[in-house]
Amino acid sequence: MQSSILQRFVTGAAVALLFFASSPAGAQSLPKSGKVEVSPAAEKGALSQVKAADGFEVSLFAAPPVAMYPTCLTATPEGAVFVCVDPNLSLSVGRNRGRIMRLVDDDKDGHADRYTVFVDSIDSPRGVAWDGKALYVMHPPTLTAYYDDDGDGIADRSVDLVHGLGFGLDFRGADHGTNGIQMGIDGWIYVAVGDYGYRKAIGRDGTQIEHHGGSVVRVRPDGSDLEIYAVGTRNIYDVAIDPFMHVFSRDNTNDGDGWNTRLHYLAQNANMGYPMLYKNFPTEHFPSLFDYGPGSGTGDLWVQDPGFPAGYDNTLYTSDWTMSKVYRHPLTPKGASYDVQQDEFLSVVHPSDLAMDGASNLYVASLSGGTFTYTGDNVGYVLRVRYPEKTAAKPLDPGSASDAQLLEQLTGFNAEHRLQAQHEILRRGEKPATVQRLREIVLDSKQPAYARVAAIFTLKQLVGAEATPTLLRAAADLDPTVRALALRALVDRKEQLAGVPTALFVKALSDPDPSVQLQAINGLVRLGARDAADAIVPLTARPDPALAHIAVNALVKLGASRAALHALDTGTPAVKAGALRALQQMHDEDVVAALADRYRRSTDPAARHRLLLALARLDNQEGIWLGDWWTTRPSFLGPYFEPSAWAGTARIRPILADALLSASGAGLDSLADEFVLERVLPQGAKPLVLALSASHDPQRTEAIRALAGHSRVSSAALPVLARIDARSAPLHEAVARLLVGESDLAEGSVPLLRAAALDSSLDADVRARALAALSGADLPVAVATFAHFNPGASSDPDLDRAWRRFVSDRGHMSQLPQFVALAHDGDEAERVLAYSVLVQIARRNGAPDEVKQQVTGAIDAGWADAALAPSLARAVTIMHQQDAYSSQMSRFSTRSAN
């Protein structure tokens, strides 16, 4: 328990290799069906890595070869377990290597007895759910339903429900792709999408969505109504759904930059903030429940089962690959969100997913022994966890149950039974007695809330709009949970909104319970009730950040600019602030004109400043996404990932420039910071803005107008910058600081950057950053500059680091002929630089053989040429490679080499 993560990983790998060493190799070599044998030695080895909460019993349910590389799993109410096998894991890209196993424990001893290969030759199975007839599988970029028509445990046919929901193996391995799925009692399949996003996801009914980044998506089991549920996650692997349709997920870290393992409550229409908001605009995203520091979240599950003890029987569970733990999370309502605790439930190497069957058994998939790629057929296993001191639930066979028995299960404490009973009720179709009983349960205050909610959504799915009268009565119930979920069900299907009164949702905005208010807000969005937006605006000022966030987003989704502008003129200070948060997200020319007019007419300095910042936010919009990935460490600057001008920009930029030109002193200092944050000034612009103001330079107006409203230095700004650069030492330094703050070289900026790098009067940090920027310049320019900085006895550390980063650039392998020629024909400094690059390539592991041969030949030729050898020797010394060339270096003294 006290060992490090690395130690746990190594131990897990060693144990896996030990007790699975005899497993058959080859991920596709299993017969279609067979027996499962788990040896006592294998179980002992697996359980040596496991520690469960007091009173829980753990057994090895299955191991390789039938349960290797288990990326996800689900279980049936009868107790069969579907295990997704993916030998590719995160980064390998072998085709058709995955499969889905169906495992059955006939004697209920905690060990699988037989298997069938339910689905074979599938790419990247990452999410799986069962509804009694279909197995839904997320294998990015496709969501597919598989059917076993003859009941032999092997799928006979399939129907693709969604295409393009993420990217396939032609793009990259499945890491950061589309992942786990869960079925909600509301009749939707919820999908956890990693930060690849999806460029053109299309449901079976033609519905299409796009999103750049992580999110939760949902779709009907028939592939219709595909929609985005929440955004702003990083790389979530799964979601958990409680009995009241609250969605949770344990997110992954960003390996730095302040985004750690966060536990999310994902409200509908929430933006969790990654990557554009969380760092610099933390009050503008939906608050996460907790930040747990290091880790990488994997499987999530809500467990409600009478066979688990109090405190474990109706709670959220999450797992973490890095921490090798499964946690439970007691939750306490806090406004429209929650307070949360985290308690260790199970210690197990690299857990990947969790699932409950219908008999009080929890299944945990482990990737023990796994890394990020295929490493042989000895990775992973599946555990069964149970609590023997309590009576387990009886397995449910929905197909053989009577209608009355199914309705009884729908009201029971077991969440898995409720869900599967609902599926069977829906399959049997609308029956008068069933419909009547569902209506009774919905309105029966003696029933527990979870039972009434299950009945609400079963009735809605069964009879559609005919459920409206019952749901309207439930929306006035004394129980706030029932009120909230009745509102949600009323607007669940957009094609069934006739007869749903907007006034009911407006009234619910004043409900004393914040969960009801939240559902009322989102209900008005689904109703498209822009005329009711005036009633939403006050909620943007609530001290509850979760509720305020959803209210602001609702105004934006409704395009409710009239209501927000009215509030801006007449509301309290808090309401005005909330309205402005919505307006600054409405990229509409009329909104820009209205805000600009109010800015011009206002005489209140504080109000003018708020309006100015709203206009600054509207100066750009998010650029068009072409489907590229932003990698594991995207820019977090925000508020846009790719700031781009739009039709309203031309009106805003002069206002921003005039504000900078009229400001002075501390006001200018603060405004420059805010404009840089909003990316309406380049990142390094503040020193120049202040220096121009202090110097009263005649070029100030032209320079400010060339910079204001831009997130980067444009080529059009360079002529005036060149003139300013030559006017004085302070302005020269300020221009240098501006240019080194750029992430990309603007065309024409190279001469100014090179001058800054070579100017010894500037701070070494500025010169080093200029030098680093020039590594992206044309090779002749870069070489001519970097050759000036070949390390010597008095090298500055910052400049030395910039030089070594250039020399170590892997891209130089593609420029090998140029460096070989330069080593032979360049001047002394250029030869030293070129040889340093060649020596670095020679020492690099993984360089192609043909590259190594060319480099070795060039270096050997250098040693053989008396005119070139001193330059090569100096390069060897600079790169600290004397031992690699000891016989050649014996001809040179340390002094002469330096």
Side-chain angles (χ1 to χ4, degrees):
M1 294 294 292
Q2 301 301 317
S3 60
S4 69
I5 294 169
L6 178 59
Q7 287 172 326
R8 288 198 301 270
F9 172 78
V10 172
T11 301
V15 170
L17 290 172
L18 173 65
F19 62 72
F20 301 143
S22 61
S23 299
Q28 305 300 324
S29 62
L30 287 177
K32 288 293 185 181
S33 63
K35 293 182 178 180
V36 178
E37 294 183 1
V38 177
S39 71
E43 182 161 37
K44 182 179 180 181
L47 298 187
S48 70
Q49 307 176 55
V50 176
K51 182 178 179 180
D54 290 346
F56 284 86
E57 175 185 275
V58 184
S59 59
L60 180 62
F61 183 74
V66 298
M68 62 181 180
Y69 295 93
T71 54
C72 56
L73 72 169
T74 193
T76 74
E78 304 97 320
V81 180
F82 292 96
V83 179
C84 297
V85 172
D86 183 14
N88 281 331
L89 277 186
S90 298
L91 299 177
S92 292
V93 293
R95 295 286 185 174
N96 300 315
R97 299 178 74 179
R99 61 185 176 224
I100 301 173
M101 308 297 295
R102 184 179 185 272
L103 307 178
V104 179
D105 174 11
D106 290 311
D107 57 11
K108 310 304 179 188
D109 66 348
H111 308 109
D113 296 304
R114 55 187 170 92
Y115 78 86
T116 53
V117 181
F118 190 81
V119 178
D120 205 355
S121 300
I122 186 174
D123 287 342
S124 310
R126 280 298 183 274
V128 63
W130 174 252
D131 76 351
K133 291 295 182 182
L135 185 73
Y136 299 91
V137 181
M138 186 67 236
H139 52 117
T142 307
L143 176 66
T144 301
Y146 290 91
Y147 297 88
D148 174 14
D149 295 320
D150 57 12
D152 65 352
I154 300 172
D156 301 300
R157 59 186 175 91
S158 64
V159 178
D160 289 342
L161 305 176
V162 181
H163 291 280
L165 189 55
F167 297 85
L169 293 178
D170 54 342
F171 182 76
R172 190 174 180 266
D175 191 32
H176 290 258
T178 309
N179 298 306
I181 63 176
Q182 294 282 353
M183 301 195 76
I185 201 78
D186 60 352
W188 293 85
I189 298 173
Y190 289 78
V191 186
V193 184
D195 60 359
Y196 275 3
Y198 32 93
R199 183 72 179 85
K200 186 180 179 182
I202 305 176
R204 286 192 76 202
D205 62 353
T207 307
Q208 183 172 320
I209 58 173
E210 173 184 311
H211 183 67
H212 188 191
S215 65
V216 174
V217 166
R218 66 180 187 175
V219 66
R220 305 288 181 187
D222 63 358
S224 64
D225 296 342
L226 178 66
E227 66 182 38
I228 299 173
Y229 184 80
V231 300
T233 55
R234 184 188 181 243
N235 184 31
I236 57 174
Y237 191 80
D238 199 7
V239 293
I241 305 174
D242 79 357
F244 308 118
M245 292 314 308
H246 301 121
V247 179
F248 303 90
S249 185
R250 187 184 190 93
D251 209 341
N252 281 302
T253 71
N254 195 40
D255 305 315
D257 296 334
W259 183 272
N260 297 314
T261 299
R262 298 184 178 205
L263 183 61
H264 303 307
Y265 159 49
L266 294 150
Q268 188 174 8
N269 294 324
N271 183 336
M272 307 310 298
Y274 185 85
M276 281 82 80
L277 298 177
Y278 81 92
K279 191 80 168 183
N280 293 323
F281 306 94
T283 63
E284 296 186 27
H285 63 81
F286 195 87
S288 298
L289 298 180
F290 208 85
D291 180 335
Y292 290 113
S296 57
T298 46
D300 306 313
L301 184 68
W302 189 279
V303 172
Q304 186 187 33
D305 189 294
F308 270 37
Y312 295 85
D313 58 349
N314 189 21
T315 193
L316 171 66
Y317 290 79
T318 70
S319 58
D320 195 294
W321 156 283
T322 299
M323 306 309 291
S324 288
K325 303 290 184 187
V326 176
Y327 301 98
R328 71 181 180 99
H329 299 275
L331 295 164
T332 305
K334 181 183 179 182
S337 186
Y338 297 90
D339 275 330
V340 64
Q341 296 174 234
Q342 175 169 281
D343 301 320
E344 183 179 326
F345 172 70
L346 188 72
S347 178
V348 54
V349 177
H350 295 333
S352 59
D353 202 11
L354 314 169
M356 287 293 292
D357 67 8
S360 303
N361 296 309
L362 172 67
Y363 299 91
V364 180
S366 165
L367 288 166
S368 175
T371 57
F372 299 101
T373 58
Y374 175 71
T375 56
D377 292 348
N378 304 309
V379 169
Y381 48 76
V382 175
L383 303 175
R384 189 194 75 168
V385 183
R386 62 188 295 270
Y387 192 78
E389 297 304 314
K390 288 202 71 176
T391 301
K394 294 182 179 180
L396 174 68
D397 180 4
S400 64
S402 67
D403 292 346
Q405 289 171 328
L406 291 173
L407 288 165
E408 183 180 355
Q409 293 296 330
L410 193 70
T411 63
F413 186 74
N414 191 312
E416 297 300 318
H417 286 197
R418 286 201 305 274
L419 184 61
Q420 298 301 333
Q422 181 195 69
H423 292 321
E424 183 62 24
I425 289 169
L426 296 175
R427 275 192 290 271
R428 295 181 185 183
E430 183 178 345
K431 297 180 179 180
T434 298
V435 172
Q436 178 59 32
R437 180 58 184 145
L438 287 171
R439 288 183 170 132
E440 292 171 356
I441 296 169
V442 169
L443 300 175
D444 185 356
S445 61
K446 295 181 180 179
Q447 290 280 357
Y450 58 78
R452 300 177 70 186
V453 168
I456 281 172
F457 284 109
T458 307
L459 180 67
K460 176 64 175 176
Q461 293 174 72
L462 192 60
V463 302
E466 293 180 16
T468 297
T470 302
L471 297 179
L472 290 175
R473 292 179 63 187
D477 198 86
L478 293 177
D479 188 326
T481 299
V482 174
R483 292 200 302 273
L485 275 298
L487 292 174
R488 180 162 170 162
L490 279 165
V491 295
D492 186 66
R493 289 190 176 268
K494 291 184 177 180
E495 71 276 13
Q496 297 174 1
L497 298 180
V500 177
T502 300
L504 172 67
F505 289 82
V506 172
K507 180 181 178 182
L509 294 174
S510 301
D511 193 280
D513 190 278
S515 66
V516 177
Q517 295 174 346
L518 188 144
Q519 295 298 340
I521 295 169
N522 283 331
L524 289 169
V525 172
R526 293 185 74 79
L527 286 165
R530 184 183 298 176
D531 291 344
D534 287 315
I536 297 175
V537 171
L539 277 72
T540 67
R542 291 296 173 88
D544 178 350
L547 192 64
H549 173 87
I550 298 301
V552 168
N553 283 2
L555 295 177
V556 177
K557 286 180 176 293
L558 289 170
S561 57
R562 183 203 59 78
L565 287 167
H566 178 71
L568 191 61
D569 294 335
T570 62
T572 65
V575 167
K576 289 180 178 181
L580 206 53
R581 279 181 56 194
L583 288 164
Q584 71 183 19
Q585 298 180 61
M586 298 182 191
H587 287 84
D588 181 287
E589 290 185 79
D590 289 339
V591 169
V592 171
L595 293 178
D597 178 64
R598 284 162 173 77
Y599 174 73
R600 178 181 56 80
R601 290 188 290 105
S602 176
T603 58
D604 179 353
R608 280 175 58 84
H609 185 70
R610 290 191 293 270
L611 288 164
L612 180 63
L613 292 183
L615 288 166
R617 178 64 61 87
L618 287 169
D619 179 66
N620 290 299
Q621 66 177 3
E622 191 60 68
I624 296 173
W625 178 43
L626 300 178
D628 53 320
W629 185 38
W630 53 30
T631 77
T632 59
R633 297 287 293 277
S635 169
F636 55 73
L637 294 176
Y640 308 102
F641 182 71
E642 186 61 46
S644 299
W646 63 290
T649 299
R651 183 163 192 163
I652 295 172
R653 284 183 176 170
I655 296 173
L656 304 179
D658 288 342
L660 286 170
L661 290 168
S662 62
S664 60
L668 178 61
D669 188 288
S670 175
L671 187 61
D673 283 335
E674 291 170 319
F675 276 11
V676 167
L677 196 66
E678 294 287 350
R679 299 183 75 183
V680 292
L681 274 179
Q683 291 299 298
K686 179 180 176 180
L688 181 57
V689 170
L690 299 183
L692 286 168
S693 178
S695 66
H696 305 287
D697 193 280
Q699 302 287 321
R700 179 185 181 223
T701 297
E702 184 181 358
I704 293 297
R705 295 199 181 281
L707 296 175
H710 295 273
S711 61
R712 301 180 180 93
V713 175
S714 67
S715 297
L718 289 172
V720 66
L721 293 178
R723 294 194 296 272
I724 290 171
D725 183 75
R727 294 181 71 86
S728 69
L731 289 174
H732 169 59
E733 180 175 354
V735 169
R737 290 187 179 278
L738 167 66
L739 295 177
V740 302
E742 295 294 282
S743 57
D744 298 304
L745 286 177
E747 185 178 353
S749 63
V750 168
L752 290 172
L753 280 166
R754 190 166 189 272
L758 297 173
D759 186 351
S760 60
S761 69
L762 294 178
D763 287 348
D765 172 66
V766 175
R767 298 178 68 201
R769 292 168 66 192
L771 194 59
L774 287 166
S775 65
D778 290 340
L779 188 60
V781 174
V783 166
T785 307
F786 278 91
H788 281 272
F789 294 92
N790 292 333
S794 59
S795 294
D796 180 88
D798 290 331
L799 295 169
D800 185 62
R801 280 190 291 271
W803 183 91
R804 292 184 185 278
R805 279 194 294 269
F806 173 77
V807 167
S808 300
D809 187 343
R810 287 181 174 270
H812 293 332
M813 285 191 287
S814 66
Q815 300 166 321
L816 192 54
Q818 293 95 312
F819 282 104
V820 171
L822 193 65
H824 188 271
D825 299 327
D827 63 26
E828 163 64 12
E830 291 171 340
R831 288 201 304 270
V832 170
L833 177 69
Y835 276 127
S836 296
V837 170
L838 297 178
V839 168
Q840 174 63 18
I841 294 174
R843 69 186 290 196
R844 173 170 285 136
N845 293 326
D849 289 341
E850 60 272 19
V851 170
K852 290 275 193 177
Q853 291 171 4
Q854 292 179 60
V855 169
T856 300
I859 292 175
D860 288 345
W863 291 124
D865 189 323
L868 302 179
S871 301
L872 176 52
R874 184 180 173 201
V876 167
T877 302
I878 289 172
M879 300 304 293
H880 308 299
Q881 290 297 294
Q882 296 95 321
D883 289 346
Y885 301 95
S886 57
S887 62
Q888 297 94 328
M889 290 295 292
S890 64
R891 292 181 287 157
F892 299 91
S893 68
T894 302
R895 182 184 60 80
S896 62
N898 280 332

